[in-house]
Amino acid sequence: MTAEPSWNHPWNVARYLIHRLGELGIERLFGVPGNHLGPFLEVLAEERAAGRTALAWIGTPTEIGAGSAADGAARVHGVGAVAVTYGVGAFSLLNTIGGAYVEQISLIAVNASPPYEQWLNLRSIGLLTSHMSPRFESNLEVYRQVTADAQTVSNARLAPRQIDGALAACLAERRPVYLEITEDVWKGACAAPEGEITPEPRGSSAKLLAAALQAASGRIAAAERPILWGGEEIDRQRLADAFQALVEATGLPFCTTIGAKSILSELHPQFHGVYNGKASLPEVRRMFRAADLRIGLGSWSTSKNLGGDVDLGEDWIVAAHEGVTVGSQFFPKVQLGDFLRGLLEALAPRPALRAAGADYYAEDPGGAESREQFLTSLSAAPESPAAEPGLPGKAALTYDTLFARINRFLEDATEGTWPTATNPYTVVSDAAFALLGSQNLRMAERRSFYAQNAWLAIGWSVGAVSGIKEARPAKRPLVFVGDGSFQETCQEMSTHTRLRHDTVVFVLHNQDFYGIEQMLVHPCFYAGQEDPAFYNHLHPWSYARLAEVFGSQATPMTGLKVASLADLDEILSVIADPGHPANRGPILVQVELDRKDYPAAIGYAVRDNC
Ligand SMILES: Cc1ncc(C[n+]2csc(CCOP(=O)(O)OP(=O)(O)O)c2C)c(N)n1
């Protein structure tokens, strides 16, 4: 339903904000209420009852869950919203807004604050009511650090200008914004919305753009084996079509960062894997290094994108953060979209630079000999132990066999071939071993993989998937999350159940252990040379039994345990069977893994140190 406001109906601040959120296409407002939010939610109910808005409130157990859900929805839709109550709610929400700031996600954080009268009482007689701090601007000051704009609205007449300004900043800067609105103002009269929210587009300097293009295209023309590295900003700025046009016009092979995983279909014939430094598949890393020029487009130099390597240098071009680096030259004030289109114009008139890329493989002795061989190696699942003679199907699972099997499951579900291949699943990965394992799943569709891979707040996936599923209801999410990460946000599975989502959450149970922390600090535990650090032990839980806690007859949830490939096969066949009763709600799959196991991708930490 598209909201049709009745303009004759009197406007107040709550209605104004509801209308503006609707205009941005936001249909879900995630949050945890508090009395200061009450008047706003009353107006929301009235607006819905009158058919003037499609915006629906989705209450979640925690503010972190609400913020992650809004973040997930924004990753799909472009912008999301969350509402909480002052102090107690706002400070809980902060983590997710910090993440959205770093990861360039447009979010609107609404904080309902005590009425003006309470602030006057605080000032005159020091009366401190619930959730208030004697620091008057404590919430605002904190949010200023993690938003593009932060406003306190305590005068209804000024609200339209403040709200419009914040929303425009949110869209223009692709960062969260903060609106603190005093309780007494929600129902205060204000002007009707005027015009639409129009973000001021950021432009490039024509001179610097031309200079950057000249420097970059010269380098590219002189290179023997350039490779493209698509990054996060291609996704955030919705530049996938321009990127694909460049890939195809130049014929160059491309990798992506993990953060940009699935910006294009990973079945694209020029796709050469996710490059993540030493944590890449060996063939991807060799290929990336065999290239004599690496062209990062929208790629962020984060530790998770460079997996142990820090090697930006003369043989790199990077366009990101509104500037372009060509070797040691830097050109500020160049927007990625302008640069991409300019590169296409500069390079496209020529025949494809490198048709089949055969010389890349020649540079890689011991590696693949042709593109076909290389691509086959990317999707080849290691032989499952179950298939080996002499080993029963009860062979234990490992991170690598789990993800290889999931890869095959995704492949089997893909319909058609590139460029029209479709797949019914999205993958949402948490941090730690889950991310290192899932980074090489071969995603058939664009924008089908989600991870918070720069901020890396553990537990993000369980909350975020609520928003991702709401925004893309036709796709079934598969979530991969470590046991420690899951313990942070497990109650958000209650939201999956409440919303009757069919999400499957794989809890990677390496026996109640913070594996990646152990790996980063004392990797030699994994070589059998050290005991585990005391602080990496979790309290053991019966994860699968949470289905009894969060499910009900009306809103079912299923909890299952798998310990072997045979168990996993059985569960995957349940998941793939639409008629199976387990698929009427979310499924939690507790995956039993050995405490000493780790994904091969992080094996370099053990090899380099022990
Ligand atoms: C909110 C938050 N708190 C703490 C951390 C630090 N941290 C990073 S990974 C990790 C452990 C994750 O453990 P688990 O989910 O069990 O996955 P594993 O490492 O075993 O793969 C911790 C505590 C973090 N990234 N985010």
Side-chain angles (χ1 to χ4, degrees):
M1 173 182 69
T2 315
E4 268 314 321
S6 135
W7 292 84
N8 303 333
H9 195 75
W11 287 93
N12 58 35
V13 175
R15 204 176 153 227
Y16 190 96
L17 180 60
I18 291 164
H19 171 74
R20 284 306 201 195
L21 295 180
E23 238 181 42
L24 301 185
I26 297 174
E27 295 199 341
R28 302 285 182 271
L29 178 63
F30 298 92
V32 179
N35 54 326
H36 305 314
L37 200 56
F40 174 76
L41 295 176
E42 278 167 22
V43 176
L44 178 61
E46 285 163 22
E47 292 296 290
R48 277 184 69 82
R52 285 192 293 267
T53 186
L55 187 70
W57 169 258
I58 299 186
T60 59
T62 66
E63 283 82 4
I64 288 205
S68 315
D71 171 316
R75 283 173 198 254
V76 177
H77 168 65
V79 55
V82 52
V84 296
T85 201
Y86 196 74
V88 283
F91 284 176
S92 283
L93 177 69
L94 189 65
N95 179 349
T96 55
I97 302 300
Y101 186 79
V102 168
E103 302 229 345
Q104 295 187 12
I105 306 296
S106 298
L107 277 191
I108 298 143
V110 177
N111 186 11
S113 75
Y116 191 55
E117 184 190 317
Q118 281 185 33
W119 292 108
L120 293 177
N121 285 338
L122 174 61
R123 189 186 301 162
S124 52
I125 56 166
L127 180 66
L128 202 61
T129 36
S130 319
H131 320 326
M132 286 171 88
S133 155
R135 307 283 298 258
F136 286 87
E137 299 201 324
S138 58
N139 286 217
L140 178 72
E141 285 298 333
V142 162
Y143 271 88
R144 278 204 173 122
Q145 303 299 315
V146 290
T147 52
D149 188 31
Q151 298 282 331
T152 48
V153 181
S154 58
N155 178 332
R157 284 166 186 272
L158 298 179
R161 197 181 293 174
Q162 287 180 285
I163 291 172
D164 288 1
L167 299 191
C170 180
L171 299 182
E173 301 202 21
R174 296 181 201 92
R175 303 263 196 206
V177 291
Y178 171 80
L179 287 169
E180 182 177 311
I181 302 185
T182 54
E183 185 185 328
D184 50 315
V185 154
W186 285 121
K187 293 190 179 175
C190 68
E194 270 180 38
E196 291 188 352
I197 302 292
T198 37
E200 194 65 39
R202 291 197 181 257
S204 301
S205 145
K207 208 169 119 196
L208 291 165
L209 172 63
L213 283 169
Q214 196 183 11
S217 46
R219 272 302 163 93
I220 295 170
E224 296 275 312
R225 296 176 306 281
I227 191 164
L228 300 168
W229 192 37
E232 289 73 354
E233 290 179 9
I234 301 272
D235 170 62
R236 304 301 192 272
Q237 301 182 26
R238 305 297 194 250
L239 291 169
D241 286 339
F243 181 63
Q244 183 157 340
L246 183 72
V247 162
E248 290 173 2
T250 57
L252 294 178
F254 76 96
C255 292
T256 70
T257 63
I258 308 188
K261 187 170 167 58
S262 81
I263 42 170
L264 299 188
S265 163
E266 295 186 342
L267 304 182
H268 192 292
Q270 284 159 259
F271 176 63
H272 280 70
V274 167
Y275 174 73
N276 176 14
K278 292 183 191 174
S280 317
L281 285 175
E283 47 274 53
V284 173
R285 185 156 185 255
R286 279 202 307 263
M287 170 81 182
F288 203 77
R289 299 184 92 71
D292 61 351
L293 180 66
R294 289 151 265 269
I295 307 161
L297 294 167
S299 50
W300 294 341
S301 300
T302 61
S303 56
K304 274 292 163 294
N305 283 344
L306 291 169
D309 282 342
V310 184
D311 59 358
L312 302 185
E314 278 304 322
D315 51 354
W316 281 83
I317 295 173
V318 178
H321 305 298
E322 304 187 86
V324 176
T325 321
V326 180
S328 48
Q329 289 175 283
F330 177 59
F331 305 90
K333 208 160 182 258
V334 178
Q335 299 300 326
L336 179 63
D338 294 335
F339 185 68
L340 263 177
R341 286 181 285 271
L343 265 191
L344 183 62
E345 240 171 69
L347 302 176
R350 303 185 204 166
L353 286 173
R354 302 286 172 264
D359 47 354
Y360 294 80
Y361 307 103
E363 284 298 307
D364 179 16
E369 279 163 21
S370 65
R371 195 185 67 199
E372 285 64 37
Q373 213 184 68
F374 178 85
L375 293 176
T376 312
S377 73
L378 283 193
S379 60
E383 260 311 282
S384 80
E388 280 173 25
L391 264 180
K394 285 286 164 199
L397 277 169
T398 66
Y399 282 98
D400 291 331
T401 54
L402 167 73
F403 282 106
R405 182 65 189 89
I406 296 290
N407 200 37
R408 187 141 51 84
F409 176 75
L410 290 174
E411 257 171 37
D412 292 346
T414 297
E415 290 206 5
T417 51
W418 186 84
T420 53
T422 59
N423 187 286
Y425 297 99
T426 52
V427 169
V428 183
S429 179
D430 218 277
F433 289 169
L435 189 56
L436 289 159
S438 58
Q439 70 177 355
N440 297 317
L441 293 173
R442 195 90 182 266
M443 305 308 299
E445 278 192 38
R446 270 190 192 186
R447 314 198 71 238
S448 56
F449 182 92
Y450 299 89
Q452 191 199 44
N453 87 310
W455 183 248
L456 293 162
I458 58 172
W460 171 88
S461 62
V462 189
V465 71
S466 301
I468 292 168
K469 177 68 185 176
E470 284 294 297
R472 291 191 80 181
K475 299 288 177 188
R476 187 169 197 191
L478 306 180
V479 175
F480 297 95
V481 55
D483 44 13
S485 308
F486 185 72
Q487 287 200 5
E488 292 259 10
T489 55
C490 64
Q491 62 273 54
E492 291 309 322
M493 278 208 81
S494 153
T495 308
H496 311 173
T497 317
R498 188 181 199 173
L499 296 171
R500 306 290 300 267
H501 286 174
D502 56 2
T503 299
V504 186
V505 177
F506 292 88
V507 178
L508 310 186
H509 183 218
N510 56 347
Q511 307 315 305
D512 314 292
F513 194 50
Y514 287 146
I516 191 90
E517 290 294 321
Q518 182 68 42
M519 184 64 89
L520 294 177
V521 184
H522 292 295
C524 300
F525 160 74
Y526 287 100
Q529 298 164 10
E530 278 182 81
D531 288 334
F534 69 92
Y535 50 80
N536 288 327
H537 295 276
L538 292 156
H539 184 65
W541 288 13
S542 300
Y543 299 93
R545 291 180 60 192
L546 284 174
E548 288 166 39
V549 177
F550 298 138
S552 72
Q553 196 138 35
T555 56
M557 170 173 161
T558 305
L560 301 160
K561 252 190 198 185
V562 299
S564 66
L565 272 164
D567 295 348
L568 180 64
D569 278 338
E570 206 176 308
I571 281 180
L572 291 176
S573 61
V574 166
I575 292 169
D577 171 6
H580 197 284
N583 294 317
R584 289 192 299 132
I587 302 178
L588 186 159
V589 183
Q590 175 177 337
V591 183
E592 297 297 315
L593 295 159
D594 193 276
R595 189 176 265 203
K596 281 241 157 80
D597 187 38
Y598 54 87
I602 192 78
Y604 73 89
V606 181
R607 286 193 300 276
D608 290 358
N609 296 295
C610 310

